[in-house]
């Protein structure tokens, strides 16, 4: 569980960093690069959700 949480945090931190850098810094030099960074940042959250929920023990969800 700890590994998944760490991986999720790293992926979402990377996503946030890409967004902020793209529109605060990179757009001043290249709009195309800023848009490309944003597209990459948009792809990360679905993969982060898959990693966070990967191989969840089904016994945890029984009532």
């Amino acid at each position: 569980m700890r590994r998944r949480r760490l991986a999720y945090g790293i992926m979402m931190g990377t996503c946030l960093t890409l967004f902020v850098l793209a529109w605060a810094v990179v757009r001043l030099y290249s709009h195309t690069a800023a848009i490309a960074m944003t597209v990459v940042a948009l792809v990360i959250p679905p993969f982060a959700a898959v990693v966070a929920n990967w191989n969840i023990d089904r016994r945890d969800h029984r009532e």
Side-chain angles (χ1 to χ4, degrees):
M1 178 72 170
R2 185 177 175 139
R3 271 186 171 172
R4 288 193 316 246
R5 189 174 293 180
L6 179 63
Y8 178 82
I10 289 170
M11 292 176 82
M12 292 307 288
T14 302
C15 177
L16 184 61
T17 302
L18 282 172
F19 270 122
V20 171
L21 284 178
W23 295 110
V25 178
V26 176
R27 75 172 171 87
L28 300 174
Y29 302 103
S30 172
H31 288 282
T32 306
I35 292 169
M37 287 173 69
T38 302
V39 169
V40 171
L42 286 172
V43 173
I44 293 173
F47 289 108
V50 168
V51 167
N53 293 310
W54 190 262
N55 210 7
I56 289 180
D57 189 8
R58 300 283 179 194
R59 291 179 286 167
D60 291 341
H61 300 289
R62 289 185 187 168
E63 293 181 27

